[in-house]
C-alpha cells in the first residue's frame, strides 16, 4: 500500500518568514492533494497536482510535484498568523481519479510566532 | 449551500453501545467517504461509496458498517462500540476526479 511521509512533523516559524513542507511517497503519485486543517475543524482543500513538474500557486502558497511524481512540496512565502494549522498531503489510492479514496500523510503542524 | 454536514458533532458512548453517524451532502456528488483521524496516525479511510446503493471497504473497515440508500446520505454505523474506536470521524464527498470536500467532523469518545 502507498505511504506518504511528511516532513517536518512540526514547524515553528516567525511571522514573515518563508517555509517549506515536504510530502514523499513510496510509490508514483497519481494525484496529490494539499489540505489545511485548523485545530478542531475539518479539512480545507488547497491545491491538486497531477502532472510531473506541475506547480500551482494560490495567494502566498505554492505547491509543486516533482518530475518523477514521488515528492511534493508546499511553500509559504511571508508567513502570516492565518497560515497556522495542520497541513496534510493526500494521494489517490489508485489510478482513476481517486474514486476509491485518499491516503494521507500524518500532517505537519505549523505554528506562526508573531 | 451547506456542503458536507455531519451529525452529531460530539458523542460519548459506553463500550458495547451502538450508534450511527450521519453524513449529508447537497452537492449531488457521486462519491462519499468516511475517514477516521487519530493522533500520530493521520486520516485513514474506513469505507467509501461510488454511488447510491454501493459501498466498499477502505483501509480500516473492521467494526464499522455503512449504507448509502440515498445519493446525498452516507451513514456510518458502530454495532458494538469499543474504546479503540474513539476518534474524530470525517466524512467527505467528491464528483468525478475533483478534490474531496470534507465535513467538520464528529468527535466520538467511547468509555
Amino acid at each position: 500500500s502507498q505511504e506518504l511521509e511528511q516532513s517536518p512533523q512540526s514547524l515553528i516559524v516567525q511571522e514573515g518568514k518563508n517555509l517549506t513542507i515536504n510530502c514523499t511517497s513510496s510509490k508514483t503519485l497519481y494525484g496529490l492533494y494539499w489540505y489545511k486543517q485548523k485545530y478542531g475543524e475539518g479539512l480545507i482543500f488547497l491545491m491538486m497536482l497531477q502532472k510531473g513538474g506541475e506547480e500551482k500557486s494560490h495567494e502566498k502558497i505554492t505547491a509543486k510535484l516533482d518530475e518523477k511524481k514521488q515528492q511534493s512540496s508546499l511553500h509559504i512565502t511571508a508567513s502570516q498568523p492565518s497560515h497556522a494549522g495542520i497541513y496534510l498531503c493526500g494521494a489517490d489510492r489508485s489510478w482513476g481519479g481517486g474514486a476509491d479514496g485518499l491516503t494521507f500523510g500524518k500532517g505537519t503542524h505549523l505554528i506562526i510566532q508573531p | 449551500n451547506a456542503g458536507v454536514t455531519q451529525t452529531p458533532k460530539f458523542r460519548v458512548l459506553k463500550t458495547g453501545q451502538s450508534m450511527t453517524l450521519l453524513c449529508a451532502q447537497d452537492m449531488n456528488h457521486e462519491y462519499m467517504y468516511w475517514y477516521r483521524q487519530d493522533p500520530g496516525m493521520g486520516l485513514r479511510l474506513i469505507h467509501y461509496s461510488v454511488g447510491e446503493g454501493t459501498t466498499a471497504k477502505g483501509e480500516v473497515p473492521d467494526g464499522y458498517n455503512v449504507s448509502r440508500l440515498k445519493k446525498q446520505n452516507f451513514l456510518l454505523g458502530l454495532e458494538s462500540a469499543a474504546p479503540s474506536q474513539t476518534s474524530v470521524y470525517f466524512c467527505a464527498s467528491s464528483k468525478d476526479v475533483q478534490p474531496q470536500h470534507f465535513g467538520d467532523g464528529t468527535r466520538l469518545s467511547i468509555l
Side-chain angles (χ1 to χ4, degrees), chain A residues 33 35 37 39-43 45 48 50 88 93 96-106, chain B residues 31 33 35 37 40-43 45 48 50 57-59 90 96-100 102-104 107:
Chain A
Y33 306 80
Y35 287 87
Q37 182 180 26
Y39 296 100
E41 299 182 10
L43 280 69
F45 169 72
M48 175 176 71
Q50 293 182 301
L88 295 151
R93 291 178 69 215
D100 57 352
L102 302 179
T103 296
F104 283 91
K106 294 180 180 179
Chain B
Y31 310 143
Y33 310 87
Y35 295 88
Q37 186 177 36
M41 298 295 293
L43 278 102
L45 182 66
Y48 64 99
V50 297
K57 294 180 180 180
E59 301 173 55
F90 286 99
D96 297 329
V97 295
Q98 298 304 309
Q100 294 180 13
F102 282 80
D104 289 336
R107 293 183 177 275

Side-chain angles (χ1 to χ4, degrees), chain B residues 46-71:
Chain B
I46 304 171
H47 285 281
Y48 64 99
S49 168
V50 297
E52 182 178 315
T54 73
T55 63
K57 294 180 180 180
E59 301 173 55
V60 288
D62 294 342
Y64 305 95
N65 56 75
V66 287
S67 63
R68 182 101 181 267
L69 298 180
K70 294 182 178 181
K71 185 177 183 179

